[in-house]
Amino acid sequence: MTTLAEKVVLDAQTFNRLHAESHKATDVKRLAIVASKGTLDMAYPPLILATTAAAMGMEAGVFFTFYGLDILKKSKHNRLQVAPLGNPAAPLPVPNILGAIPGATAAATWVMNSMMRKQKIPTIGEFLALSRQLNVRLIACTTTMGIMGVKKEELLDGVEMQGAAAFLEYASKAQVTLFV
């Protein structure tokens, strides 16, 4: 008696052809990231991941929503800060209560920028420029723009504007999706 498994045995060539056909829609690997926070420490992860993915030959897109939209603003992307208050992993290791004193945010920001320079990590502005060079899609959330009164002219050149539905369509075809 022949089992079903024995009946469906395929030769390697047929298997490879069927496998390639079934994965045709996913030949290009895609990374989709949502960046929802606009602090210096939270701006690095999505940009590092997206540029790394693009350098590896993947498509990459970052959807900047709510405070994450600050990363794309001409007036703010080079002035992002680290908030030491309520951030136990902040680069300035002080008790949380000291994070509330005037100047603590500036000090933590200075420390983080110094750490990044020492390790020769590009600035946020340099990562954004690299993202554009590598064709990383930088997408501003149009709903957030409306809520926060952000105009297209306030955003960096080359930024796309889309709503959540358009980004979800993009993300639905991604092999890797992240929320930062």
Side-chain angles (χ1 to χ4, degrees):
M1 180 170 178
T2 306
T3 66
L4 180 60
E6 292 169 331
K7 290 179 184 176
V8 294
V9 171
L10 303 173
D11 62 87
Q13 185 178 14
T14 303
F15 175 80
N16 288 336
R17 182 182 54 78
L18 292 172
H19 181 76
E21 287 176 10
S22 68
H23 291 284
K24 189 174 184 178
T26 60
D27 281 348
V28 176
K29 301 268 188 240
R30 179 179 287 178
L31 168 67
I33 302 174
V34 175
S36 64
K37 297 177 180 63
T39 58
L40 181 62
D41 54 330
M42 295 307 289
Y44 274 103
L47 295 173
I48 290 171
L49 291 167
T51 54
T52 300
M56 294 171 60
M58 297 173 68
E59 287 183 5
V62 184
F63 185 71
F64 296 85
T65 188
F66 284 85
Y67 301 117
L69 197 56
D70 282 355
I71 299 167
L72 298 178
K73 286 183 177 176
K74 292 175 186 171
S75 63
K76 291 195 173 184
H77 77 280
N78 278 330
R79 299 182 330 162
L80 300 176
Q81 298 182 320
V82 177
L85 185 62
N87 187 352
L92 195 59
V94 295
N96 199 28
I97 189 69
L98 295 180
I101 62 172
T105 296
T109 301
W110 182 86
V111 169
M112 182 162 185
N113 279 325
S114 295
M115 291 168 42
M116 298 310 242
R117 272 193 304 275
K118 190 178 288 182
Q119 295 300 316
K120 300 186 183 337
I121 304 294
T123 65
I124 294 301
E126 291 167 337
F127 264 118
L128 289 165
L130 180 61
S131 295
R132 289 189 293 267
Q133 289 173 5
L134 294 172
N135 296 318
V136 171
R137 294 179 65 188
L138 303 173
I139 306 163
C141 173
T142 53
T143 301
T144 300
M145 290 175 68
I147 292 169
M148 298 188 175
V150 177
K151 306 261 184 293
K152 177 182 177 183
E153 303 77 45
E154 296 176 59
L155 301 176
L156 297 168
D157 294 335
V159 170
E160 300 175 42
M161 288 165 284
Q162 292 183 350
F167 180 72
L168 287 173
E169 173 62 24
Y170 177 81
S172 72
K173 295 179 177 74
Q175 287 75 30
V176 180
T177 54
L178 302 168
F179 189 95
V180 178

